[in-house]
Amino acid sequence: MTDTSMADTTYKRVMLKISGEALMGDQGFGLHPPTVQRIAQEVKSVHDLGVEICMVIGGGNVFRGLAGSAQGMERTTADYMGMLATVMNALAMQSALEGLGVFTRVISAIRMDEVAEPYIRRRAVRHLEKKRVCIFAAGTGNPYFTTDTAAALRANEMACEAIFMGKNGVDGVYDKDPREHADAKRYDEVTFDEVLAQNLKVMDASAIALARDNNLPIVVFPLDEPGGFRGILAGRGTCTRVHG
């Protein structure tokens, strides 16, 4: 029986930000359908609580604008290619969610009316009120901005109560990569200013500043832990909370 109560979560509306690489599974490139399906199940488990969910998915599993630029491609063109990669990932996630019976809308910052809705803030809010998952694609629609910044921007516009950063292989924020350094220090809580001052790898600086200026907390948790998203929302599991 589906649990539709919100008794075990304090959040009404959240933003889930995941990287494109999270959709690769064990592959080195592209989409791994079983992994997409697993993440969709995680989203559905939180949706079943009655939580309104926004999503932003990166495009690094298909194309990363900064990497393309580093190899000699003109930066603006490379960034637009990266934005299109996020649309592909959003459509894949939409298909997986709707296969589980979760109504979903892909909303693109770049108009492509045949495959996604254009971004209109009031319409997106209405979708959330109707308990549809909204996947915001194509970043902010502008080059030189990452999907981290897009997540912070849309989370503020949608009046989300927190940004949940799903990470693979790590259970929070560390002072250095725990997969490479055995002495890495993990934080239970950290402030926005500390993240910026110490250059901690949470989100890029523009996204952190946008979250800080609007007092929007960020929760970093392990996406590859089964039931992790729902558990963190309910106050269980290991995570790092970034706040003012």
Side-chain angles (χ1 to χ4, degrees):
M1 180 176 177
T2 299
D3 177 13
T4 58
S5 75
M6 291 183 59
D8 57 349
T9 177
T10 59
Y11 295 97
K12 181 179 184 294
R13 181 179 296 171
V14 301
M15 166 65 73
L16 173 63
K17 167 64 171 69
I18 61 177
S19 67
E21 288 88 345
L23 306 184
M24 292 191 308
D26 295 330
Q27 303 172 162
F29 179 83
L31 290 159
H32 183 237
T35 299
V36 176
Q37 187 73 15
R38 178 185 62 78
I39 295 173
Q41 290 277 8
E42 293 282 321
V43 174
K44 181 182 185 299
S45 71
V46 171
H47 183 266
D48 287 346
L49 295 174
V51 178
E52 297 169 4
I53 302 173
C54 305
M55 294 183 69
V56 168
I57 307 172
N61 58 319
V62 179
F63 188 86
R64 186 178 293 280
L66 199 57
S69 176
Q71 295 179 35
M73 186 175 291
E74 194 268 323
R75 174 65 189 272
T76 301
T77 299
D79 278 357
Y80 277 121
M81 291 173 68
M83 290 180 222
L84 296 178
T86 71
V87 177
M88 295 170 65
N89 287 340
L91 291 172
M93 184 59 63
Q94 178 186 44
S95 178
L97 284 168
E98 291 192 336
L100 297 173
V102 179
F103 292 109
T104 308
R105 295 290 185 273
V106 173
I107 301 171
S108 174
I110 298 174
R111 289 194 72 104
M112 47 186 80
D113 295 350
E114 288 76 12
V115 297
E117 289 187 9
Y119 176 68
I120 300 171
R121 187 182 68 84
R122 288 181 179 272
R123 180 186 292 177
V125 169
R126 186 64 178 139
H127 286 320
L128 291 171
E129 291 171 348
K130 291 183 177 179
K131 306 304 179 186
R132 297 165 181 161
V133 173
C134 287
I135 307 176
F136 295 102
T140 67
N142 301 286
Y144 296 94
F145 290 94
T146 67
T147 51
D148 282 352
T149 302
L153 175 64
R154 298 296 185 230
N156 279 302
E157 290 180 303
M158 296 297 107
C160 292
E161 295 164 349
I163 299 173
F164 284 77
M165 291 284 295
K167 299 282 190 179
N168 277 350
V170 292
D171 57 356
V173 177
Y174 288 77
D175 62 348
K176 48 193 169 185
D177 192 337
R179 292 166 292 193
E180 298 178 5
H181 303 275
D183 61 341
K185 174 189 173 184
R186 185 184 164 279
Y187 299 90
D188 287 325
E189 294 191 15
V190 64
T191 67
F192 293 119
D193 289 338
E194 288 171 335
V195 168
L196 292 171
Q198 299 177 43
N199 194 29
L200 301 177
K201 303 302 181 184
V202 179
M203 304 174 89
D204 67 60
S206 297
I208 291 294
L210 188 55
R212 179 193 62 189
D213 292 348
N214 292 278
N215 197 29
L216 180 66
I218 302 168
V219 180
V220 182
F221 73 100
L223 185 67
D224 47 2
E225 182 177 307
F229 186 25
R230 179 170 174 147
I232 295 300
L233 275 160
R236 302 186 299 272
T238 304
C239 65
T240 299
R241 182 180 174 87
V242 185
H243 55 82

